[in-house]
C-alpha cells in the first residue's frame, strides 16, 4: 500500500508532488520518489530513508533542473523488493522515457517479468511494479499513444492497482488507471492532478472526481477524460469533499495521535448528531436500507481488521443484547477465503475507518456475491467500501492521520451501538422507554470521554514507572475483553513492545505460565457485575509477581488492594463503557511510545491504509 500523486501543467509541479507526498506518508514511508517530464527527457529522484524518506527526497530535489511542468510521485510501503532506493518508484522503461508509479500488487508479475526478460528488457528493481513500465514500453514501440498503451497493458496484468504513467514523448499527459486501489482526480484552472486521496491535493485542486474500478483517465492541463477497458468514454463521478487542509494540521499538538485522542468527544458527538427524531425514533439519513429490509434481518456478520475488528467485537455484544439477533465477528482477511454461509436475511457489516482496506473490501464483495445485504460503516466519505455496499453508515470522526486509530474507533462503536438500538426499535426487542434510556446514555458518552481524558497526567506518571517493562498482558471480561484487545494492539503498534490481549478467564488456560516478575498486567475492571471475578484473576497474577495496572471506576476502592497503579474513569452504562475505558489505554500506549522515543504517528513497518492482502 503506497501513496501516489501526479500533476500536469503546473509551474510548481515539483513542489506539488513533494507536498502531496508528505500528506500521503500515512500510506507508507519506506521510500519515496518523483519523476518529472518535459519534451524528450525524464528526470527522476528517489530516496529510501525510512520515516524520513520524503524529507530526504526534498533535499535531493533541490538539484532538480528547471522547466518541468508535469510529473508523478510515490511514497512506498514495501511488498515486493526491500525498502531500498533501487526499489523506490517511479520505475522507468528501458528507454528511460516512460515512468510509472503503482499502488497495489501485480499478481502475475513473475510470469510477465520472465516473458519481458526473454524479449530483451532490462530490469533494475525487484518490484512487481516494474513490469508495467516495460509492458507500456512495448506498446509505445508498436506505435500506440500513451492512453492506448496503458489500456492494452491493463489486459495483461492481474491484481490490484492505482497506476499513473508519464512519457517524455507526450509530456503534457498523465495516464492513470485503477482497479481496487484508490484513485482520485483533482482539477483547477490550467492544472490537473491525481492522487490516492483528496488531502494530497488540498490547497491546489478545486474540484475532485472519483476514478472507479477499471477506468482509465487521461489528464492534460485543461482537464481530464476517461474511458473504460473497452475504450468507451465514461464520465467520472464528482466527489463532494467536506474536509479541509486545516483539519489535517496539528493545531498546536505535538503529533496527530495526541490530537486525535483529544478529538474523541467531538468524534462521538458528531457521529451521533441528528440520529434521534422528535418522536423518539432513530434515523440514519444516509443508510439507504429500508426499515422493512432491516426488520427482515435474521443474522448479522461483522467483518473488519485491526482496530475496526475490535469495534466489531463490541458491536456484537450490543446487537445481541439489544436487538436479539445472532451476530458473528469475522476477521476480514479470513472470511473471503472460506466458504462462508450467507442465508436469506444475512446482513454483512463491513467496518473500516479508511474504507479502502483491501481485506474488508474483498470480504464484503464476497458476501454480496453470495446474496448478503452489505452495510459499510466507514469514516471516509465515498471510499471504495462505501461505494460497493448496498448501504453506508458514516462515522463522522473527521480525518484520521495517525497510523494508530483512536477517534475513528470510538466513533465506530458509537455508530454501531446506535445501529443496534435502531434494530432493537424495529424488531421490538426493547421498550421505547429502554431505547430512550440507552440513547440518553449514549449521548452522554462524549462528556464521559472528556472526563476520562483528564487521566492523562496520571497515565504519564504510570508510564514513567513502567518504562523498563517489555511484556504486557491486557485482560478484561465481557466488554472489557475487546477493550483489552484494543489496548494491547495500540501498545504493540506504537511502542514495539510485546503485548497480548486476553479474556481474563482464559489466562489460567495457558498464558498464566508466562506471568512472572517484570510482566505488566493491564486490567479493565469497570464492570460492576464482573468485579469479583476480575479481582480473583488479578490476585492470581499478583501472586506470580506481575505488576498490575487497573482501569477502574472512580468510586472503586477495593481495586487498591491488588493494583499497583489505578487509572480511574467515570462510570458509564456497561454497554457503552468501551468508549470510555479505552481512553487511558490509548494514553498509556502513547506515553510509553513517547518515553521510548518512538515516532507515534508513523510506527515502523505499518501504514495507515492497508491496500494489499
Ligand atoms: O481503515 P481500516 O479501519 O479498515 O483499518 C483497519 C486496520 O488496518 C487498522 O485498524 C489498524 O489495525 C490500525 N493501525 C490500528 O490502530
Amino acid at each position: 500500500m503506497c501513496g501516489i500523486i501526479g500533476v500536469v501543467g503546473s509551474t510548481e509541479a515539483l513542489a506539488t508532488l513533494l507536498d502531496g507526498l508528505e500528506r500521503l506518508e500515512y500510506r507508507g514511508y519506506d521510500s519515496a520518489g518523483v519523476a518529472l517530464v518535459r519534451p524528450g527527457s525524464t528526470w527522476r529522484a528517489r530516496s529510501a530513508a525510512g520515516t524520513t524518506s520524503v524529507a530526504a527526497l526534498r533535499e535531493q530535489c533541490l538539484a532538480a533542473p528547471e522547466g518541468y511542468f508535469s510529473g508523478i510521485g510515490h511514497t512506498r510501503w514495501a511488498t515486493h523488493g526491500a525498502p531500498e532506493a533501487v526499489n523506490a518508484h517511479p520505475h522507468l522503461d528501458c528507454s528511460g522515457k516512460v515512468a510509472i508509479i503503482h499502488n497495489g500488487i501485480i499478481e502475475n508479475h513473475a510470469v510477465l517479468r520472465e516473458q519481458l526478460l526473454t524479449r530483451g528488457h532490462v530490469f533494475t528493481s525487484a518490484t512487481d511494479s516494474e513490469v508495467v513500465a516495460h509492458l507500456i514500453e512495448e506498446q509505445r514501440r508498436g506505435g500506440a499513444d500513451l492512453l492506448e498503451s496503458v489500456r492494452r497493458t491493463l489486459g495483461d496484468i492481474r491484481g490490484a492497482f492505482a497506476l499513473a504513467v508519464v512519457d517524455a514523448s507526450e509530456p503534457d499527459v498523465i495516464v492513470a488507471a485503477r482497479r481496487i486501489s484508490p484513485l482520485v482526480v483533482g482539477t483547477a484552472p490550467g492544472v490537473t492532478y491525481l492522487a490516492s486521496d483528496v488531502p494530497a491535493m488540498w490547497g491546489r485542486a478545486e474540484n475532485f472526481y472519483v476514478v472507479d474500478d477499471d477506468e482509465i483517465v487521461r489528464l492534460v492541463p485543461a482537464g481530464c477524460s476517461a474511458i473504460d477497458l473497452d475504450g468507451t468514454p465514461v464520465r467520472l463521478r464528482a466527489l463532494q469533499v467536506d474536509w479541509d487542509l486545516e483539519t489535517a494540521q496539528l493545531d498546536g499538538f505535538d503529533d496527530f495521535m495526541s490530537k486525535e485522542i483529544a478529538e474523541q468527544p467531538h468524534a462521538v458527538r458528531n457521529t451521533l448528531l441528528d440520529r434521534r427524531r422528535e418522536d423518539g425514533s432513530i434515523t440514519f439519513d444516509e443508510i439507504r436500507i429500508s426499515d422493512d429490509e432491516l426488520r427482515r434481518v435474521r443474522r448479522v456478520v461483522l467483518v473488519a481488521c485491526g482496530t475496526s475488528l475490535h469495534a466489531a467485537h463490541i458491536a456484537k455484544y450490543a446487537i445481541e443484547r439489544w436487538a436479539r439477533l445472532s451476530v458473528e465477528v469475522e476477521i476480514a482477511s479470513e472470511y473471503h477465503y472460506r466458504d462462508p454461509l450467507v442465508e436469506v436475511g444475512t446482513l454483512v457489516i463491513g467496518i473500516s475507518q479508511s474504507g479502502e482496506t483491501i481485506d474488508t473490501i474483498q470480504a464484503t464483495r464476497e458476501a454480496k456475491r453470495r446474496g448478503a445485504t452489505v452495510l459499510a460503516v466507514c469514516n471516509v466519505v465515498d471510499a471504495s467500501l462505501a461505494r460497493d455496499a448496498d448501504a453506508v453508515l458514516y462515522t463522522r470522526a473527521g480525518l484520521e492521520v495517525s497510523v494508530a486509530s483512536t477517534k475513528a474507533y470510538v466513533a465506530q462503536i458509537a455508530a454501531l451501538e446506535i445501529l443496534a438500538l435502531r434494530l432493537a426499535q424495529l424488531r421490538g426487542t426493547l421498550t421505547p422507554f429502554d431505547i430512550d434510556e440507552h440513547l440518553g446514555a449514549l449521548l452522554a458518552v462524549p462528556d464521559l470521554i472528556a472526563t476520562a481524558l483528564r487521566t492523562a497526567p496520571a497515565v504519564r506518571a504510570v508510564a514513567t514507572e513502567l518504562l523498563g517493562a517489555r511484556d504486557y498482558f491486557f485482560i478484561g471480561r465481557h466488554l472489557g475483553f475487546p477493550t483489552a484487545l484494543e489496548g494491547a494492539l495500540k501498545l504493540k503498534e506504537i511502542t514495539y513492545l510485546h503485548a497480548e490481549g486476553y479474556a481474563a478467564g482464559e489466562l489460567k488456560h495457558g498464558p498464566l505460565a508466562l506471568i512472572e516478575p517484570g510482566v505488566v498486567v493491564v486490567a479493565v475492571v469497570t464492570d460492576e457485575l464482573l468485579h469479583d471475578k476480575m479481582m480473583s484473576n488479578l490476585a492470581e497474577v499478583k501472586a506470580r509477581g506481575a505488576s498490575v495496572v487497573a482501569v477502574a471506576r472512580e468510586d472503586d476502592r477495593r481495586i487498591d488492594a491488588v493494583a499497583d497503579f489505578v487509572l480511574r474513569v467515570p462510570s458509564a452504562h456497561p454497554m457503552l463503557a468501551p468508549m470510555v475505558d479505552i481512553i487511558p489505554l490509548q494514553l498509556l500506549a502513547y506515553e510509553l511510545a513517547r518515553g521510548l522515543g518512538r515516532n507515534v504517528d508513523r510506527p515502523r513497518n505499518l501504514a495507515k491504509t492497508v491496500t494489499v492482502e
Side-chain angles (χ1 to χ4, degrees), residues 355-609:
E356 299 293 349
T357 300
I358 191 74
D359 291 323
T360 310
I361 291 175
Q362 304 274 46
T364 50
R365 283 185 183 165
E366 181 61 30
K368 202 166 173 186
R369 212 177 51 76
R370 289 170 185 253
T373 301
V374 172
L375 169 67
V377 173
C378 180
N379 195 42
V380 176
V381 174
D382 223 23
S384 303
L385 186 77
R387 288 205 305 275
D388 279 2
D390 298 300
V392 60
L393 172 55
Y394 284 117
T395 50
R396 304 178 192 137
L399 181 68
E400 192 178 66
V401 175
S402 182
V403 167
S405 183
T406 52
K407 63 175 181 171
Y409 174 65
V410 291
Q412 285 169 341
I413 300 172
L416 289 160
E417 294 210 328
I418 202 158
L419 175 67
L421 286 176
R422 178 64 182 146
L423 288 167
Q425 198 164 52
L426 291 168
R427 293 167 56 77
T429 47
L430 286 179
T431 64
F433 176 82
D434 286 338
I435 292 190
D436 226 44
E437 194 179 65
H438 295 328
L439 261 180
L442 195 50
L443 293 169
V445 164
D447 290 340
L448 298 180
I449 295 178
T451 308
L453 285 168
R454 291 192 210 122
T455 55
V459 175
R460 196 167 307 129
V462 173
T464 310
E465 295 285 330
L466 295 178
L467 220 47
R470 290 291 170 266
D471 284 303
Y472 284 80
F473 282 82
F474 285 70
I475 60 170
R477 282 174 180 261
H478 194 243
L479 281 159
F481 168 44
T483 302
L485 291 175
E486 175 59 9
L489 179 63
K490 284 289 91 79
L491 190 88
K492 64 185 122 187
E493 196 173 18
I494 60 169
T495 64
Y496 318 152
L497 295 174
H498 167 244
E500 290 187 48
Y502 263 97
E506 188 65 11
L507 215 58
K508 59 185 178 293
H509 296 290
L512 201 58
L514 296 170
I515 305 296
E516 59 184 4
V519 173
V520 180
V521 173
V522 183
V524 182
V525 202
T526 53
D527 190 330
E528 206 42 42
L529 289 176
L530 293 162
H531 197 275
D532 288 343
K533 294 267 181 292
M534 283 301 295
M535 288 292 279
S536 308
N537 295 139
L538 289 180
E540 287 155 17
V541 298
K542 252 339 258 177
R544 284 152 183 94
S547 303
V548 172
V549 180
V551 174
R553 293 159 77 127
E554 274 158 350
D555 56 357
D556 183 352
R557 292 294 148 223
R558 285 192 297 151
I559 193 69
D560 296 320
V562 284
D564 299 281
F565 308 100
V566 183
L567 302 170
R568 296 192 183 276
V569 290
S571 312
H573 182 299
M575 206 56 89
L576 312 177
M579 287 179 273
V580 180
D581 298 351
I582 193 60
I583 304 298
L585 302 186
Q586 295 169 339
L587 290 167
L588 183 65
Y590 175 82
E591 292 297 344
L592 284 167
R594 290 271 297 212
L596 292 165
R598 310 291 191 232
N599 182 336
V600 291
D601 284 341
R602 291 186 211 160
R604 71 182 182 197
N605 303 341
L606 301 180
K608 179 71 183 159
T609 305

Side-chain angles (χ1 to χ4, degrees), residues 71-88:
I72 50 178
H74 187 272
T75 178
R76 178 169 186 248
W77 184 78
T79 57
H80 296 69
E84 294 164 0
V86 76
N87 292 323

Side-chain angles (χ1 to χ4, degrees), residues 210-498:
V210 177
V211 181
D212 277 320
D213 277 351
D214 292 328
E215 288 181 352
I216 307 165
V217 287
R218 181 174 184 272
L219 277 59
V220 294
C224 169
S225 53
I227 56 170
D228 64 15
L229 290 180
D230 298 327
T232 310
V234 290
R235 240 179 117 88
L236 293 181
R237 248 170 348 100
L239 183 61
Q240 183 79 24
V241 174
D242 53 8
W243 294 339
D244 56 20
L245 187 54
E246 221 176 299
T247 329
Q249 288 170 342
L250 282 173
D251 285 344
F253 285 86
D254 288 346
D255 39 60
F256 283 105
M257 186 172 177
S258 56
K259 178 175 181 245
E260 288 158 9
I261 287 175
E263 286 171 347
Q264 293 182 103
H266 188 65
V268 172
R269 203 170 283 124
N270 253 356
T271 300
L272 298 176
L273 210 66
D274 301 331
R275 302 295 194 194
R276 178 159 61 170
R277 289 207 194 102
E278 274 189 9
D279 64 0
S281 61
I282 298 165
T283 163
F284 302 102
D285 283 345
E286 75 271 40
I287 205 166
R288 300 193 313 250
I289 297 188
S290 70
D291 287 355
D292 278 345
E293 205 169 337
L294 283 177
R295 266 190 213 100
R296 283 197 294 271
V297 170
R298 290 288 161 266
R299 178 174 161 247
V300 177
V301 179
L302 303 165
V303 292
C305 309
T307 288
S308 300
L309 183 68
H310 299 152
H313 282 294
I314 289 161
K316 172 183 166 78
Y317 287 85
I319 299 172
E320 282 182 351
R321 169 76 60 88
W322 288 337
R324 309 306 297 150
L325 275 165
S326 148
V327 182
E328 285 146 64
V329 177
E330 299 271 3
I331 297 172
S333 56
E334 290 296 316
Y335 181 78
H336 62 286
Y337 291 114
R338 293 215 323 266
D339 193 5
L341 288 174
V342 175
E343 297 120 354
V344 177
T346 303
L347 174 68
V348 171
I349 308 182
I351 308 162
S352 171
Q353 186 286 127
S354 60
E356 299 293 349
T357 300
I358 191 74
D359 291 323
T360 310
I361 291 175
Q362 304 274 46
T364 50
R365 283 185 183 165
E366 181 61 30
K368 202 166 173 186
R369 212 177 51 76
R370 289 170 185 253
T373 301
V374 172
L375 169 67
V377 173
C378 180
N379 195 42
V380 176
V381 174
D382 223 23
S384 303
L385 186 77
R387 288 205 305 275
D388 279 2
D390 298 300
V392 60
L393 172 55
Y394 284 117
T395 50
R396 304 178 192 137
L399 181 68
E400 192 178 66
V401 175
S402 182
V403 167
S405 183
T406 52
K407 63 175 181 171
Y409 174 65
V410 291
Q412 285 169 341
I413 300 172
L416 289 160
E417 294 210 328
I418 202 158
L419 175 67
L421 286 176
R422 178 64 182 146
L423 288 167
Q425 198 164 52
L426 291 168
R427 293 167 56 77
T429 47
L430 286 179
T431 64
F433 176 82
D434 286 338
I435 292 190
D436 226 44
E437 194 179 65
H438 295 328
L439 261 180
L442 195 50
L443 293 169
V445 164
D447 290 340
L448 298 180
I449 295 178
T451 308
L453 285 168
R454 291 192 210 122
T455 55
V459 175
R460 196 167 307 129
V462 173
T464 310
E465 295 285 330
L466 295 178
L467 220 47
R470 290 291 170 266
D471 284 303
Y472 284 80
F473 282 82
F474 285 70
I475 60 170
R477 282 174 180 261
H478 194 243
L479 281 159
F481 168 44
T483 302
L485 291 175
E486 175 59 9
L489 179 63
K490 284 289 91 79
L491 190 88
K492 64 185 122 187
E493 196 173 18
I494 60 169
T495 64
Y496 318 152
L497 295 174
H498 167 244

